[in-house]
Amino acid sequence: MLLAAAAAASAVAPAAATEPARVALMPVQDRSGDPEALAALESALRVELGRFHPLVEPETIRNAMRTTRLRDPGAGPPAALDALAERVGADWCFLATLHAAGRGDVPQASVSARIVERGRRHLAWAGFESVSGLDAMGALGIGRVERLEELLQLLARRLVEDFAGDPRRRRRAPTARGGFLREPVTDVGIVAVIPFDAVEARDPTIAAETVTNLALAVLHRRGVTIADPAAVEELLRRRGVRSRGGLDALSRGALRAALGPELFLTGTVERYDLEGSPLSPEPVVALSARLLGAADGRILWLDGIEWTGRDTTGPFGLGRVHATGVMAERMITALVGAWLAAPPKENRR
């Protein structure tokens, strides 16, 4: 049965609780190589989260991480994160990653985040935000943002408002057409996202991680219950599985037994580049994805699309996309919409 209602309820549970949950903002993981951008994002996230929830002090978290020798809370075993949360007295752990932070003539940034509740093996919430300095620009250049730090503050606000149950932004994307769909997917249950693979990207590792985290956010927005990605990664590590974008039969069975998913979603990032000029960047992104049945490993759906920033351009150049993260988000949303049946109207957020 589609668990959209339960997932939607859990997404807003922290904000709706009688006493706000105590949140531990874990050190943001940096894939950008820009320490100043990282510090700006962490500061902005603390301010925004503090509007809704009491926060664990950063020094308390750092001391606990040193004691438990947990360098990356989001990549370690779930039991280690549970132990850390208990040590610092946190109900929820907020895990964020700065995937990209480009300064240049047109700054752009991409950030993902997820909430893990202590003792729970399903994600409580997952989010993704990406933006460029040209996204809000109107006539005569009005609305253009030239400072990366301003974009990071915007992303932090958007992420936290989404997490706190106040998703004011409307996201639209066409549904991908033309792929293979064995039959309509109506009994979704729990979905486990297997890390995406990447080829022919400027940085395949970062591109694959970005799209994997993006898939978590898109599924959550659609009301899907998602297996904890850290638990998925831990089981794959224990089995010695290093490949991405696929799943062998034994690993599929082990994941099903341990986490109970009915479906697996995975895929490949075939291109994740930024072309064009410094003043008019143009993302070029190509993605393929597939959905597997957990019981028998059959392919239930598969498709692939390639878009550029110009593909979204409307009259007078309006609607053009300038950030790779924005483009990838629209594409994953379109792909997921091709196989995921819409939840009942009363269950939509």
Side-chain angles (χ1 to χ4, degrees):
M1 180 181 68
L2 182 61
L3 300 181
S10 68
V12 299
T18 304
E19 294 184 4
R22 193 162 187 247
V23 176
L25 171 60
M26 297 299 172
V28 178
Q29 297 304 301
D30 182 26
R31 307 295 185 254
S32 71
D34 187 331
E36 293 182 358
L38 180 67
L41 177 62
E42 284 192 341
S43 177
L45 284 172
R46 285 201 66 81
V47 170
E48 296 298 331
L49 281 168
R51 294 168 49 208
F52 299 95
H53 299 278
L55 303 179
V56 178
E57 290 298 321
E59 186 61 30
T60 301
I61 295 174
R62 287 194 291 268
N63 289 338
M65 289 179 63
R66 282 194 291 267
T67 301
T68 58
R69 298 181 180 181
L70 189 61
R71 296 183 60 184
D72 182 354
L81 185 61
D82 281 349
L84 188 148
E86 185 173 4
R87 180 182 289 270
V88 302
D91 302 300
W92 304 76
C93 292
F94 192 99
L95 308 166
T97 300
L98 177 59
H99 297 284
R103 294 184 182 273
D105 294 310
V106 179
Q108 58 178 277
S110 297
V111 181
S112 71
R114 65 183 189 262
I115 284 283
V116 177
E117 183 181 5
R118 191 171 70 196
R120 180 176 176 177
R121 288 298 169 263
H122 302 148
L123 281 188
W125 170 84
F128 180 93
E129 296 290 344
S130 183
V131 69
S132 85
L134 299 180
D135 288 358
M137 187 178 71
L140 304 177
I142 297 174
R144 175 174 177 173
V145 178
E146 298 182 349
R147 295 182 60 251
L148 175 62
E149 285 73 15
E150 187 175 344
L151 293 183
L152 293 171
Q153 291 175 357
L154 173 63
L155 293 187
R157 183 167 63 252
R158 286 179 176 177
L159 276 173
V160 173
E161 286 178 349
D162 183 58
F163 154 60
D166 186 18
R168 299 178 184 179
R169 294 176 59 239
R170 298 186 67 182
R171 307 169 194 259
R172 295 181 178 179
T175 298
R177 307 284 184 187
F180 165 77
L181 178 62
R182 186 177 298 277
E183 58 187 20
V185 180
T186 55
D187 297 326
V188 178
I190 300 170
V191 175
V193 176
I194 306 303
F196 278 55
D197 190 12
V199 296
E200 296 186 14
R202 291 185 180 182
D203 192 320
T205 302
I206 292 178
E209 181 187 35
T210 301
V211 174
T212 300
N213 288 9
L214 176 49
L216 297 172
V218 170
L219 288 171
H220 177 77
R221 289 174 198 154
R222 294 296 303 270
V224 174
T225 301
I226 309 166
D228 184 354
V232 173
E233 290 265 23
E234 181 189 25
L235 190 147
L236 293 177
R237 279 197 301 268
R238 287 182 175 179
R239 293 191 52 78
V241 177
R242 297 187 178 183
S243 60
R244 296 293 185 258
L247 195 63
D248 64 89
L250 292 177
S251 296
R252 171 173 51 80
L255 283 169
R256 188 185 183 209
L259 304 176
E262 281 76 32
L263 301 169
F264 294 106
L265 178 67
T266 190
T268 300
V269 184
E270 297 170 6
R271 289 196 69 185
Y272 197 87
D273 297 322
L274 194 63
E275 299 181 349
S277 68
L279 292 174
S280 185
E282 182 176 349
V284 180
V285 180
L287 303 173
S288 63
R290 56 193 174 278
L291 189 72
L292 308 176
D296 54 14
R298 289 200 311 167
I299 295 178
L300 303 178
W301 164 87
L302 61 85
D303 198 0
I305 51 179
E306 181 174 2
W307 290 354
T308 72
R310 296 185 183 275
D311 291 335
T312 61
T313 305
F316 309 106
L318 298 177
R320 182 174 175 181
V321 172
H322 299 277
T324 49
V326 174
M327 179 60 67
E329 180 178 6
R330 294 190 181 190
M331 295 170 72
I332 288 292
T333 301
L335 287 168
V336 168
W339 61 264
L340 181 59
K345 186 175 182 180
E346 63 270 17
N347 289 341
R348 296 179 188 175
R349 294 184 60 191

